[in-house]
Amino acid sequence: MVAMEPVFVLLTVLLCCCQARRRNVLLIVADDAGFETEVYNNSVVRTPHLRALSERSLIFQKAFTSVSSCSPSRSTILTGLPQHQNGMYGLHQGYHHFSSFDGVRSLPLLLQKANIHTGIIGKKHVGPGPVYPFDFAYTEENNSVLQVGRNITRIKLLVQKFLRSHKEEAESEGGEERPFFLYVAFHDPHRCGHSQPQYGAFCEKFGNGESGMGCIPDWKPEYYTPDQVKVPYFIPDTAAARADLASLYTTVSRLDQGIGLVLKELKEAGFENDTLVIYSSDNGIPFPNGRTNLYGSGVAEPMLVSSPEHKQRWGQSSQSYVSLLDITPTILDWFSIPYPSYSLTGGPLVQLTGRSLLPVLSSEQPWSTVYGSQSLHEATMYYPMRSLYKGPYRLLHNLNHLMPFPIDQDFYVSPTFQDLLNRTQTGQPTGWFKTLKSYYYRERWELFHTTLDPTESHNLASDMAHAALFEEMKAQMVKWQWATSDPWVCAPDAVLESRMDPVCRPLYNGL
């Protein structure tokens, strides 16, 4: 018996370690959400559940999407690859037919192969299906996106169903629960007035109990007046824009209440203390200079990361530069899953250029660089852009700078943009920091010092005092484009010859 005792102790320690290492992931992504929360010092919008989550999280102050468009952004979240590398160049809709390449090894695909239970509730908006498989799926592909993306009672019940089925699976097999990855993709606060005007510009009336609006039992609507809102610098300070923002605030409050319900289900199911929770949004808010732009107002994102194993930084803020491209490597790292070795379309081996966020949950990291890449939004909105944000400087390359910047449909019909159009046409003050002409027509290269010039109004690209920095950042951006197999790496003044030894062939077009 004495000889067996150390072995027994060792087994006990190993079992305890295994139980302590049980790990799951809950990824929460909002739709077109910005910094209209108490977490980011907007004291007007009541968001107690996000505030409570932030107290258990590291709050990122320098988080960015790599593309300011819904489907391309969601594809980067779920692959760790920029849109030009994974193939999701624009919105994934049947009549546009943008999809990721068939050979992409997405996060849900890799997790499934590692025997991790995967689920998605809400807005998927990526494809094809075999590239983005989920064991449990309630999305716009098999439900109304309003119900699975905005009806917070329905979302709560689906989270409950997923967690219950997860436990029942383990009980039926008589073994330990396998890890899970649950992706809850809210449709709030995306605009919906263009398709369902009866619900308001931001679906702020959907489910509020008024006649014809239906009822969401768990939603207690919060309303705001135009004089209450805080108007960001990049939005016109007009009555129309203020009313628009007030409606946005209402749906942010619904989003917050929904997040509270999801986190409550997680806690009551007994998973709170072994689940990594990540909250962010796909792109900037749908206002002028916001979504579809690679300016800071279009790519800066809220991000909260709550790890039960990294409590030392709970409630703190991080200034480390991070990207939505970091989500896939973070989750793979959390589950200790290596990224596979493979190539796409006969090219070089695919490598993730994002990084795991787990180190910064322990201590601040000297990360100061993020990249951006956008090609289209809607099919008619071809305006390829690439960007590099390094320290205080943001460099933008507008490849098709000679054409006007395109406007998407739901933003076009929005009260804010229609008011901006009307004011411009009639010669009235717009209350905006730009003119429509300067918004439509941009320089090929834009370089901004975002600390000295937070509104990104003074282009330094032709400033000789910044010439060396400009060339250095251009070279760094192009290097990343080559590393990520960017088909636009030679545009607009050369053609990419990709056979054998890839090279740019000059067009001599004067650009």
Side-chain angles (χ1 to χ4, degrees):
M1 290 297 293
V2 175
M4 292 296 293
E5 202 167 309
V7 177
F8 174 76
V9 172
L10 177 61
L11 288 174
T12 303
V13 171
L14 288 175
L15 286 172
C16 289
C17 288
C18 289
Q19 289 170 357
R21 291 278 295 177
R22 185 177 73 166
R23 288 178 161 187
N24 306 298
V25 172
L26 170 62
L27 172 62
I28 301 173
V29 175
D31 200 353
D32 292 5
F35 297 92
E36 291 70 33
T37 71
E38 296 171 63
V39 178
Y40 289 96
N41 299 319
N42 188 322
S43 57
V44 178
V45 190
R46 293 177 283 277
T47 51
H49 302 289
L50 278 170
R51 185 181 68 244
L53 176 60
S54 74
E55 292 168 357
R56 292 172 52 91
S57 304
L58 181 60
I59 305 164
F60 287 91
Q61 303 290 346
K62 298 287 187 180
F64 305 90
T65 180
S66 67
V67 50
S68 192
S69 175
C70 183
S71 294
S73 181
R74 289 163 194 271
S75 75
T76 68
I77 291 170
L78 294 177
T79 66
L81 307 177
Q83 56 83 26
H84 64 248
Q85 188 173 18
N86 74 51
M88 185 69 71
Y89 302 135
L91 296 185
H92 178 69
Q93 296 170 336
Y95 44 89
H96 289 165
H97 206 60
F98 289 121
S99 290
S100 290
F101 298 129
D102 292 340
V104 168
R105 309 286 178 88
S106 74
L107 177 64
L109 186 67
L110 296 176
L111 296 182
Q112 270 195 349
K113 290 183 177 181
N115 195 35
I116 291 170
H117 189 195
T118 61
I120 179 172
I121 298 166
K123 188 174 180 178
K124 187 177 182 184
H125 214 17
V126 291
V131 170
Y132 299 97
F134 287 88
D135 302 320
F136 178 99
Y138 286 81
T139 72
E140 74 278 4
E141 295 179 352
N142 54 15
N143 283 266
S144 161
V145 72
L146 290 183
Q147 293 299 328
V148 296
R150 299 191 199 262
N151 184 337
I152 61 175
T153 298
R154 174 77 168 141
I155 293 167
K156 175 192 76 173
L157 294 174
L158 288 172
V159 170
Q160 197 177 92
K161 183 176 182 179
F162 173 81
L163 297 176
R164 185 171 60 244
S165 69
H166 183 72
K167 287 189 171 183
E168 290 172 351
E169 175 193 76
E171 292 169 2
S172 66
E173 295 179 1
E176 291 186 9
E177 293 172 357
R178 56 178 173 150
F180 70 74
F181 166 68
L182 178 59
Y183 174 31
V184 181
F186 286 90
H187 196 19
D188 277 330
H190 193 287
R191 289 185 182 275
C192 82
H194 62 297
S195 56
Q196 286 113 354
Q198 70 273 23
Y199 295 130
F202 283 93
C203 264
E204 69 272 14
K205 298 178 183 178
F206 175 69
N208 71 352
E210 292 180 10
S211 178
M213 300 302 155
C215 180
I216 301 174
D218 289 291
W219 182 36
K220 297 176 178 57
E222 301 268 8
Y223 295 106
Y224 305 87
T225 60
D227 63 304
Q228 285 181 289
V229 304
K230 293 186 175 182
V231 182
Y233 74 86
F234 57 91
I235 297 177
D237 192 353
T238 60
R242 282 180 168 272
D244 226 4
L245 283 166
S247 296
L248 172 73
Y249 283 14
T250 295
T251 49
V252 169
S253 290
R254 181 169 59 203
L255 165 71
D256 178 76
Q257 291 176 34
I259 290 172
L261 293 172
V262 171
L263 294 176
K264 183 180 179 183
E265 291 297 326
L266 187 76
K267 182 177 182 178
E268 291 183 350
F271 294 113
E272 181 181 49
N273 294 323
D274 50 39
T275 300
L276 180 73
V277 179
I278 302 174
Y279 166 74
S280 192
S281 179
D282 54 352
N283 46 245
I285 60 177
F287 283 86
N289 223 66
R291 188 186 66 193
T292 74
N293 286 274
L294 292 190
Y295 298 120
S297 47
V299 296
E301 301 300 336
M303 184 180 283
L304 307 176
V305 180
S306 175
S307 166
E309 298 178 17
H310 300 82
K311 296 182 180 181
Q312 65 268 38
R313 297 209 70 190
W314 280 8
Q316 294 183 15
S317 288
S318 171
Q319 297 295 328
S320 298
Y321 285 43
V322 300
S323 165
L324 298 189
L325 289 170
D326 299 332
I327 289 178
T328 282
T330 299
I331 294 173
L332 292 178
D333 189 15
W334 179 257
F335 287 125
S336 299
I337 299 173
Y339 192 69
S341 177
Y342 73 102
S343 63
L344 287 170
T345 62
L349 289 179
V350 175
Q351 297 192 15
L352 298 176
T353 54
R355 56 203 156 206
S356 170
L357 298 178
L358 298 190
V360 78
L361 300 184
S362 297
S363 60
E364 192 72 354
Q365 300 297 312
W367 301 336
S368 60
T369 302
V370 292
Y371 296 91
S373 169
Q374 183 147 336
S375 298
L376 302 98
H377 183 65
E378 294 166 0
T380 55
M381 294 178 63
Y382 180 65
Y383 200 86
M385 300 172 284
R386 302 294 182 263
S387 70
L388 169 61
Y389 191 21
K390 185 176 183 180
Y393 291 96
R394 175 176 283 109
L395 178 66
L396 292 142
H397 187 191
N398 300 308
L399 280 68
N400 275 30
H401 65 288
L402 294 177
M403 69 180 289
F405 186 79
I407 305 297
D408 57 288
Q409 295 176 41
D410 61 323
F411 171 54
Y412 178 82
V413 300
S414 71
T416 297
F417 192 68
Q418 284 297 307
D419 182 61
L420 180 58
L421 285 176
N422 292 335
R423 286 172 177 271
T424 300
Q425 286 295 97
T426 57
Q428 301 176 60
T430 63
W432 199 29
F433 79 124
K434 288 185 175 181
T435 65
L436 271 181
K437 184 176 181 180
S438 67
Y439 186 63
Y440 289 148
Y441 296 98
R442 307 176 180 188
E443 298 296 322
R444 174 175 174 177
W445 294 98
E446 296 180 283
L447 177 65
F448 304 107
H449 191 300
T450 61
T451 304
L452 300 178
D453 177 26
T455 65
E456 297 174 310
S457 300
H458 305 292
N459 187 2
L460 303 173
S462 59
D463 183 351
M464 291 306 297
H466 293 82
L469 173 70
F470 178 45
E471 293 301 324
E472 175 190 325
M473 292 185 69
K474 280 171 62 177
Q476 186 173 346
M477 180 192 294
V478 171
K479 183 179 179 180
W480 179 74
Q481 288 181 266
W482 281 112
T484 54
S485 302
D486 187 352
W488 284 267
V489 66
C490 300
D493 39 16
V495 171
L496 173 62
E497 173 56 66
S498 57
R499 294 180 183 179
M500 302 299 287
D501 187 20
V503 66
C504 293
R505 302 288 187 184
L507 289 168
Y508 305 109
N509 57 15
L511 296 176

